[in-house]
Amino acid sequence: MSGSTTDSAQASRGGRPRDPTRDGVIRAAVLHLLAAVGYGALTMDAVASQAGVGKATIYRRWRTKQDLVIDIIAELNQAEIIPPDTGSLRSDLRDLLHALVALINGPAGAAILSLLSTVPHDPTLAEAFRGGPLDGWQHAFEHVWAHAAQRGEVPPGLAGTVLAEAASSLLVQRWLLTGQPVDDAYADAVLAAVLLPLLTSIPSR
């Protein structure tokens, strides 16, 4: 999410500026509780207890549960989404897919699963997803496509195409719909059997 969007959202909710020393434990507490009990049963008291902070610490910065979860989701995985630049498309995609696997299998992935039924009914939460983790992953893949085009590995303009969307779709489908394991080996199989053949079949411009 852009700085201006984050700043305006936080200003609208009020509260004291964040204390970076508490952010990590509060974020971890929220993700843990979302995965354990879901959004509906999440309470500010439970977050404070899980994080080991006073309730006043939570309420000084977030007026409601929705404000708290929106802020956490808007920043979710942002620090970990680092576009790779290994010098080859294959390696870049492999690193990015492995990072996505780590997200899926970590606390953030479990929390996202618990929120999926809530997001369609909460426009503000949906926007936090779009402007936070989804935007971050999109930019990371765009970075990979752009660098691959500069090296002549793919034609320019690949970002935003159906083929580009396919890069992560099989992992996400397996995660959300089938319940089967999503691991590095599966990501490597998708890369070798699906993505690279598709990418090498693109006619040069």
Side-chain angles (χ1 to χ4, degrees):
M1 179 176 289
S2 66
S4 60
T5 304
T6 303
D7 293 344
S8 62
Q10 193 155 3
S12 68
R13 290 192 285 274
R16 294 187 181 183
R18 285 183 165 184
D19 177 357
T21 65
R22 302 289 181 91
D23 276 358
V25 293
I26 293 172
R27 181 182 299 108
V30 171
L31 294 179
H32 171 82
L33 290 168
L34 283 172
V37 304
Y39 181 77
L42 181 73
T43 66
M44 300 289 261
D45 286 358
V47 172
S49 177
Q50 179 71 29
V53 301
K55 288 189 290 184
T57 300
I58 305 292
Y59 280 106
R60 275 197 297 263
R61 288 183 280 172
W62 296 282
R63 294 172 181 161
T64 67
K65 174 180 74 174
Q66 183 191 50
D67 294 340
L68 170 60
V69 173
I70 284 171
D71 272 357
I72 298 301
I73 293 301
E75 297 179 355
L76 188 62
N77 212 224
Q78 291 298 300
E80 290 78 23
I81 306 175
I82 302 173
D85 190 7
T86 65
S88 79
L89 177 60
R90 182 189 187 101
S91 296
D92 283 353
L93 285 175
R94 185 174 186 272
D95 285 357
L96 205 49
L97 292 178
H98 283 198
L100 183 56
V101 167
L103 166 69
I104 287 171
N105 291 297
I112 289 171
L113 279 178
S114 76
L115 285 168
L116 288 181
S117 62
T118 304
V119 170
H121 309 289
D122 190 326
T124 310
L125 187 57
E127 178 58 31
F129 265 107
R130 286 192 294 269
L134 293 182
D135 190 56
W137 285 105
Q138 179 179 345
H139 285 161
F141 275 102
E142 287 175 352
H143 174 96
V144 167
W145 302 133
H147 278 244
Q150 290 173 3
R151 293 190 298 263
E153 294 177 285
V154 296
L158 192 60
T161 65
V162 172
L163 197 157
E165 290 184 13
S168 59
S169 61
L170 287 178
L171 272 68
V172 174
Q173 174 183 284
R174 187 179 177 98
W175 171 41
L176 298 182
L177 299 181
T178 72
Q180 297 182 60
V182 180
D183 53 21
D184 288 345
Y186 179 72
D188 290 344
V190 169
L191 178 62
V194 180
L195 294 181
L196 292 178
L198 284 174
L199 290 167
T200 55
S201 71
I202 302 175
S204 59
R205 295 182 181 179

